[in-house]
Amino acid sequence: MKLRSHQMTKGTERAPHRSLLKAIGYTDGELQRPLIGVAQSANEVIPGHIHLDKICTAVKDGIRMAGGTPMEFSTIGICDGIAMGHEGMKYSLASRELIADSVESMARAYPFDGLVLLPNCDKIVPGMIMAGARLDLPTIVISGGPMRTGVCNGQEIDLITVFEGMGKFRVGELSQEQLDELENAACPGAGSCSGMFTANSMNCLTEALGIALPGNGTTLAVDAARIRLAKESGMAIMNLVEKKITMRQILTDKAFQNALAVDMAFGGSTNTSLHLPAIAHEAGLTLPLQDFNRASLKTPHICNMSPGGPDHMEDLHQAGGVSAIMKVLAEKGLLAEDCLTVSGKTLGEVLSNPAVKVFNHETIRPLDNPYHTTGGLAVLNGNLALDGAVVKQSAVAPEMLQHQGPARVFDTEEEAFSAIINQKIEPGDIIVIRYEGPQGGPGMREMLSPTAALAGIGLDKEVALLTDGRFSGGTRGAAIGHISPEASAGGLIGLVEEGDQIKIDIPKRNLELLVDKNELENREARLQAPPAKVKKGYLARYARLVGSAAKGAVMD
């Protein structure tokens, strides 16, 4: 079989190349086999990645068992939770492009025959998948898996409990000792944070896209089953290489529509509306924001996952996992079952396995008894969001689905957080945080601190928050982000003034600034936008090149 890797391993003219590879310890026999790049992001700064060295060893074992030679290399990784609330968060979304570029660079410099992508958290997952779509090699994803649910005083908790506990502490509802107890119990060990936050949303969607084996999204990080799955993934990549099944053969339009349906069913993070379009872009496809609405309107929300509900990833896994969700959807014709998957089988063949079933009909409800009749996400339009805005409607209190109130305007997240935590926000207010978009932030920071503070002080059912930035997958409440165009790109959000009335209608997908057109024209004429926040380094380059959040915030 002619291999891509022969470009650097075959023929007398490649003797110098083989000499260097032998310096690493590879034998002639190993260099004659298919060479599989294993992109991993293990480090000592992300709890979801602290164990990836062990997962990586298992992947390499599987590759060797199936007759291949693994070649491991690494990428960077930023934990959104640790980066939250300070300058570090500006680098989180921006790091997605660095990760994609670094994987691409390695796979072009070393002509691997296949790739195994081993991410786990936040922007590392979409960044690696973007690279895979760009390269179009035989590729499989195996994540590090979710964290166990924390337990404190007999109650299940997670990282969001700590963020909201901080707000409760500030208003006297929690003592320092109680907050310390939450801090010490919420994150019990290795894995991506235990709710349906961004990392777990994206890891679950790898199954829906067909680019990972069943169980990838929900098998716990600390379970032996995760090690076995890693070995199976290592073996599966060899089958993909043999059959010459590349990533773009799997990442089709139908596969993305399947992912949207599953996303709506489990109520994923609003960040999926950034990452799925970006991955589609790298695959040569277009996934407009309005496709999220179309999927939402026809797909009921059937899982009540944290932060909107009580269930965590281990609950979903025990209930049957993503495969069980997909089987429920497929039985009603909501999925394209002819899509190819990395198992070598079609999605329909995967779901026909008798072991795929729902074991808990409260964690995964039937379609005729959903938690909500529409999907977890909604895309809003209107004069305040001409190109769109995104809200996790499944995590919004019913009384806040429609709301009108006065704007409280802030040009940075820090100013808004200070006003919230110092109790300067009144019930009914609509907080507006602008100049925090991909270009204006720069980096489109997640804003879990202000939304969690609102929840902690009990205002999440009375106050809305709008931003051209974004929210953590752990955010709940009437938090509407990704407002496009952003303020720095001339969006109307840049013209909002203190006290302006804003009307939110999530069921009707509408977001309106109730200000006379002539007044807006006068404001635009005298507008003086703040200067660029970053003038050198990677973030400055990112700000110059990044596109709209409505199109995935990809760099052009």
Side-chain angles (χ1 to χ4, degrees):
M1 178 172 64
K2 186 175 180 180
L3 297 172
R4 185 170 178 265
S5 59
H6 286 169
Q7 297 175 56
M8 69 174 179
T9 61
K10 194 169 184 179
T12 54
E13 69 277 13
R14 296 296 181 246
H17 304 65
R18 291 192 297 273
S19 181
L20 287 166
L21 290 168
K22 287 178 180 179
I24 301 170
Y26 293 110
T27 66
D28 283 324
E30 287 176 301
L31 295 177
Q32 291 169 11
R33 300 171 187 165
L35 304 184
I36 309 300
V38 182
Q40 60 86 8
S41 46
N43 60 48
E44 296 182 352
V45 291
I46 309 179
H49 292 230
I50 192 68
H51 66 307
L52 289 190
D53 56 340
K54 297 179 178 63
I55 306 296
C56 190
T57 296
V59 167
K60 293 188 290 185
D61 288 345
I63 292 169
R64 291 191 182 99
M65 285 189 285
T69 299
M71 291 183 166
E72 175 187 344
F73 63 94
S74 60
T75 68
I76 64 169
I78 292 174
C79 173
D80 281 16
I82 298 173
M84 195 76 64
H86 58 86
E87 183 188 24
M89 181 48 71
K90 293 178 182 290
Y91 286 86
S92 174
L93 180 60
S95 74
R96 187 186 70 178
E97 315 308 311
L98 289 174
I99 291 162
D101 289 350
S102 66
V103 174
E104 176 203 355
S105 298
M106 290 296 288
R108 295 293 188 202
Y110 302 89
F112 301 124
D113 300 300
L115 275 177
V116 179
L117 305 176
L118 179 50
N120 206 32
C121 294
D122 301 315
K123 309 309 160 290
I124 303 98
V125 181
M128 284 196 184
I129 299 172
M130 287 166 65
R134 189 184 300 172
L135 291 160
D136 195 28
L137 300 173
T139 304
I140 192 168
V141 180
I142 167 68
S143 74
M147 189 183 290
R148 285 191 299 111
T149 309
V151 178
C152 184
N153 297 321
Q155 299 295 314
E156 290 189 345
I157 63 171
D158 54 38
L159 179 66
I160 308 309
T161 317
V162 188
F163 271 99
E164 294 182 1
M166 174 182 58
K168 291 180 179 179
F169 170 76
R170 292 298 296 263
V171 296
E173 291 186 19
L174 277 185
S175 67
Q176 182 66 60
E177 182 181 31
Q178 290 171 317
L179 183 59
D180 290 345
E181 288 177 351
L182 293 178
E183 176 185 327
N184 291 326
C187 300
S192 50
C193 296
S194 58
M196 190 57 81
F197 314 142
T198 302
N200 289 325
S201 296
M202 290 305 301
N203 283 331
C204 286
L205 291 180
T206 61
E207 294 188 47
L209 288 167
I211 57 177
L213 294 178
N216 182 59
T218 60
T219 304
L220 288 181
V222 295
D223 281 359
R226 175 61 59 178
I227 299 294
R228 296 195 296 271
L229 184 63
K231 291 178 181 177
E232 290 164 1
S233 298
M235 291 185 278
I237 188 60
M238 297 306 298
N239 182 54
L240 294 174
V241 170
E242 181 181 351
K243 294 184 176 180
K244 298 182 179 179
I245 297 174
T246 67
M247 204 168 200
R248 291 194 190 183
Q249 292 172 255
I250 296 172
L251 288 178
T252 62
D253 282 313
K254 286 183 179 179
F256 280 101
Q257 296 305 317
N258 284 349
L260 290 182
V262 174
D263 192 6
M264 299 305 153
F266 64 51
S269 164
T270 53
N271 284 313
T272 62
S273 67
L274 284 174
H275 302 322
L276 288 176
I279 294 166
H281 174 79
E282 297 293 354
L285 304 171
T286 300
L287 188 66
L289 271 184
Q290 291 310 316
D291 280 9
F292 285 77
N293 267 347
R294 281 189 279 271
S296 181
L297 290 172
K298 67 180 182 181
T299 312
H301 175 227
I302 58 175
C303 300
N304 201 17
M305 305 290 293
S306 176
D311 288 334
H312 291 86
M313 297 308 295
E314 58 192 282
D315 301 309
L316 180 56
H317 185 67
Q318 292 164 6
V322 177
S323 292
I325 295 173
M326 291 196 288
K327 189 157 192 171
V328 171
L329 297 177
E331 287 172 350
K332 297 296 183 180
L334 294 175
L335 293 182
E337 296 185 61
D338 59 344
C339 290
L340 186 62
T341 73
V342 288
S343 67
K345 302 175 182 178
T346 65
L347 179 62
E349 290 171 330
V350 171
L351 299 181
S352 67
N353 186 331
V356 178
K357 62 179 68 175
V358 177
F359 295 96
N360 184 325
H361 292 281
E362 192 60 20
T363 299
I364 303 174
R365 284 191 174 183
L367 293 178
D368 59 3
N369 182 34
Y371 287 99
H372 301 94
T373 56
T374 56
L377 299 183
V379 175
L380 310 186
N381 290 101
N383 69 350
L384 198 50
L386 291 177
D387 295 336
V390 185
V391 62
K392 191 170 188 173
Q393 62 178 347
S394 60
V396 179
E399 56 266 41
M400 288 299 294
L401 291 172
Q402 294 174 308
H403 179 71
Q404 181 174 325
R408 300 295 306 281
V409 184
F410 305 93
D411 285 349
T412 67
E413 175 190 357
E414 288 83 358
E415 293 170 358
F417 179 71
S418 177
I420 294 167
I421 214 71
N422 290 304
Q423 302 181 58
K424 295 180 180 179
I425 301 298
E426 300 293 333
D429 284 350
I430 296 180
I431 299 169
V432 177
I433 307 177
R434 61 193 180 189
Y435 296 105
E436 289 286 6
Q439 175 186 329
M444 201 181 186
R445 288 190 288 179
E446 282 188 351
M447 299 186 188
L448 180 56
S449 294
T451 58
L454 283 173
I457 64 177
L459 286 178
D460 57 306
K461 295 181 180 180
E462 298 179 86
V463 170
L465 196 157
L466 315 181
T467 182
D468 53 8
R470 62 192 176 94
F471 296 112
S472 162
T475 287
R476 62 185 173 99
I480 301 170
H482 305 205
I483 290 177
S484 302
E486 61 175 292
S488 291
L492 192 65
I493 188 173
L495 301 181
V496 180
E497 292 186 357
E498 192 82 5
D500 285 349
Q501 287 289 309
I502 294 175
K503 184 177 181 180
I504 299 167
D505 193 329
I506 294 173
K508 292 185 178 179
R509 308 294 196 262
N510 192 245
L511 183 62
E512 292 284 337
L513 175 63
L514 304 179
V515 174
D516 179 77
K517 184 178 179 181
N518 291 331
E519 169 61 18
L520 292 175
E521 290 175 353
N522 291 334
R523 291 182 188 181
E524 186 173 19
R526 63 176 186 264
L527 176 67
Q528 291 185 336
K533 298 173 185 174
V534 180
K535 295 181 173 60
K536 62 180 180 179
Y538 173 61
L539 273 184
R541 296 197 302 275
Y542 179 84
R544 289 195 298 270
L545 298 173
V546 70
S548 169
K551 295 183 179 180
V554 296
M555 286 176 66
D556 295 323

mmCIF file of all heavy atoms in Angstrom, residues 367-383:
data_model
loop_
_atom_site.group_PDB
_atom_site.id
_atom_site.type_symbol
_atom_site.label_atom_id
_atom_site.label_comp_id
_atom_site.label_asym_id
_atom_site.label_seq_id
_atom_site.Cartn_x
_atom_site.Cartn_y
_atom_site.Cartn_z
ATOM 1 N N LEU A 367 -39.371 11.863 23.169
ATOM 2 C CA LEU A 367 -39.676 13.104 22.456
ATOM 3 C C LEU A 367 -41.072 13.628 22.752
ATOM 4 O O LEU A 367 -41.319 14.836 22.626
ATOM 5 C CB LEU A 367 -39.521 12.896 20.944
ATOM 6 C CG LEU A 367 -38.095 12.647 20.451
ATOM 7 C CD1 LEU A 367 -38.088 12.414 18.947
ATOM 8 C CD2 LEU A 367 -37.178 13.807 20.808
ATOM 9 N N ASP A 368 -41.983 12.747 23.157
ATOM 10 C CA ASP A 368 -43.346 13.213 23.462
ATOM 11 C C ASP A 368 -43.494 13.688 24.906
ATOM 12 O O ASP A 368 -44.576 14.079 25.332
ATOM 13 C CB ASP A 368 -44.375 12.131 23.143
ATOM 14 C CG ASP A 368 -44.147 10.847 23.926
ATOM 15 O OD1 ASP A 368 -43.226 10.800 24.770
ATOM 16 O OD2 ASP A 368 -44.891 9.869 23.703
ATOM 17 N N ASN A 369 -42.377 13.690 25.662
ATOM 18 C CA ASN A 369 -42.404 14.202 27.037
ATOM 19 C C ASN A 369 -41.111 14.958 27.325
ATOM 20 O O ASN A 369 -40.373 14.658 28.261
ATOM 21 C CB ASN A 369 -42.582 13.046 28.036
ATOM 22 C CG ASN A 369 -42.674 13.542 29.476
ATOM 23 O OD1 ASN A 369 -43.215 14.621 29.743
ATOM 24 N ND2 ASN A 369 -42.133 12.773 30.410
ATOM 25 N N PRO A 370 -40.812 15.989 26.520
ATOM 26 C CA PRO A 370 -39.525 16.686 26.666
ATOM 27 C C PRO A 370 -39.538 17.673 27.819
ATOM 28 O O PRO A 370 -40.587 18.018 28.368
ATOM 29 C CB PRO A 370 -39.397 17.414 25.330
ATOM 30 C CG PRO A 370 -40.811 17.750 24.972
ATOM 31 C CD PRO A 370 -41.637 16.570 25.446
ATOM 32 N N TYR A 371 -38.361 18.158 28.161
ATOM 33 C CA TYR A 371 -38.273 19.255 29.127
ATOM 34 C C TYR A 371 -38.748 20.551 28.487
ATOM 35 O O TYR A 371 -39.364 21.387 29.147
ATOM 36 C CB TYR A 371 -36.834 19.396 29.632
ATOM 37 C CG TYR A 371 -36.445 18.287 30.581
ATOM 38 C CD1 TYR A 371 -35.709 17.185 30.152
ATOM 39 C CD2 TYR A 371 -36.857 18.318 31.915
ATOM 40 C CE1 TYR A 371 -35.372 16.154 31.025
ATOM 41 C CE2 TYR A 371 -36.524 17.297 32.792
ATOM 42 C CZ TYR A 371 -35.792 16.222 32.346
ATOM 43 O OH TYR A 371 -35.480 15.206 33.212
ATOM 44 N N HIS A 372 -38.432 20.731 27.201
ATOM 45 C CA HIS A 372 -38.932 21.867 26.434
ATOM 46 C C HIS A 372 -39.255 21.364 25.030
ATOM 47 O O HIS A 372 -38.569 20.470 24.513
ATOM 48 C CB HIS A 372 -37.884 22.988 26.344
ATOM 49 C CG HIS A 372 -37.449 23.525 27.671
ATOM 50 N ND1 HIS A 372 -36.341 23.051 28.333
ATOM 51 C CD2 HIS A 372 -37.974 24.494 28.457
ATOM 52 C CE1 HIS A 372 -36.192 23.709 29.477
ATOM 53 N NE2 HIS A 372 -37.171 24.584 29.585
ATOM 54 N N THR A 373 -40.263 21.926 24.422
ATOM 55 C CA THR A 373 -40.670 21.451 23.097
ATOM 56 C C THR A 373 -39.710 21.884 21.994
ATOM 57 O O THR A 373 -39.742 21.317 20.895
ATOM 58 C CB THR A 373 -42.083 21.964 22.754
ATOM 59 O OG1 THR A 373 -42.097 23.392 22.847
ATOM 60 C CG2 THR A 373 -43.110 21.385 23.717
ATOM 61 N N THR A 374 -38.883 22.875 22.259
ATOM 62 C CA THR A 374 -37.864 23.280 21.302
ATOM 63 C C THR A 374 -36.480 23.044 21.897
ATOM 64 O O THR A 374 -36.344 22.784 23.092
ATOM 65 C CB THR A 374 -38.026 24.765 20.907
ATOM 66 O OG1 THR A 374 -37.996 25.575 22.086
ATOM 67 C CG2 THR A 374 -39.338 24.994 20.176
ATOM 68 N N GLY A 375 -35.460 23.177 21.049
ATOM 69 C CA GLY A 375 -34.111 22.822 21.451
ATOM 70 C C GLY A 375 -33.476 23.764 22.437
ATOM 71 O O GLY A 375 -34.013 24.821 22.775
ATOM 72 N N GLY A 376 -32.269 23.384 22.910
ATOM 73 C CA GLY A 376 -31.607 24.105 23.986
ATOM 74 C C GLY A 376 -31.121 25.484 23.621
ATOM 75 O O GLY A 376 -31.020 26.359 24.486
ATOM 76 N N LEU A 377 -30.809 25.735 22.348
ATOM 77 C CA LEU A 377 -30.273 27.030 21.928
ATOM 78 C C LEU A 377 -31.266 27.777 21.053
ATOM 79 O O LEU A 377 -32.108 27.172 20.392
ATOM 80 C CB LEU A 377 -28.963 26.858 21.141
ATOM 81 C CG LEU A 377 -27.784 26.204 21.849
ATOM 82 C CD1 LEU A 377 -26.571 26.191 20.930
ATOM 83 C CD2 LEU A 377 -27.456 26.895 23.159
ATOM 84 N N ALA A 378 -31.156 29.097 21.047
ATOM 85 C CA ALA A 378 -31.941 29.933 20.144
ATOM 86 C C ALA A 378 -31.061 31.049 19.612
ATOM 87 O O ALA A 378 -30.218 31.592 20.332
ATOM 88 C CB ALA A 378 -33.155 30.522 20.856
ATOM 89 N N VAL A 379 -31.246 31.371 18.344
ATOM 90 C CA VAL A 379 -30.560 32.494 17.709
ATOM 91 C C VAL A 379 -31.560 33.634 17.559
ATOM 92 O O VAL A 379 -32.643 33.453 16.998
ATOM 93 C CB VAL A 379 -29.992 32.096 16.332
ATOM 94 C CG1 VAL A 379 -29.385 33.311 15.636
ATOM 95 C CG2 VAL A 379 -28.943 31.003 16.495
ATOM 96 N N LEU A 380 -31.211 34.797 18.103
ATOM 97 C CA LEU A 380 -32.089 35.964 18.057
ATOM 98 C C LEU A 380 -31.600 36.941 16.987
ATOM 99 O O LEU A 380 -30.398 37.046 16.719
ATOM 100 C CB LEU A 380 -32.109 36.681 19.411
ATOM 101 C CG LEU A 380 -32.351 35.834 20.661
ATOM 102 C CD1 LEU A 380 -32.475 36.741 21.877
ATOM 103 C CD2 LEU A 380 -33.576 34.950 20.525
ATOM 104 N N ASN A 381 -32.539 37.639 16.389
ATOM 105 C CA ASN A 381 -32.233 38.722 15.458
ATOM 106 C C ASN A 381 -33.031 39.952 15.859
ATOM 107 O O ASN A 381 -33.805 39.914 16.801
ATOM 108 C CB ASN A 381 -32.522 38.320 14.017
ATOM 109 C CG ASN A 381 -31.543 37.287 13.487
ATOM 110 O OD1 ASN A 381 -31.848 36.099 13.426
ATOM 111 N ND2 ASN A 381 -30.354 37.731 13.105
ATOM 112 N N GLY A 382 -32.845 41.029 15.143
ATOM 113 C CA GLY A 382 -33.484 42.295 15.470
ATOM 114 C C GLY A 382 -32.476 43.401 15.248
ATOM 115 O O GLY A 382 -31.315 43.145 14.885
ATOM 116 N N ASN A 383 -32.875 44.646 15.504
ATOM 117 C CA ASN A 383 -31.950 45.734 15.201
ATOM 118 C C ASN A 383 -30.693 45.709 16.069
ATOM 119 O O ASN A 383 -29.646 46.219 15.688
ATOM 120 C CB ASN A 383 -32.657 47.093 15.289
ATOM 121 C CG ASN A 383 -33.039 47.477 16.709
ATOM 122 O OD1 ASN A 383 -32.964 46.670 17.644
ATOM 123 N ND2 ASN A 383 -33.484 48.713 16.890
#
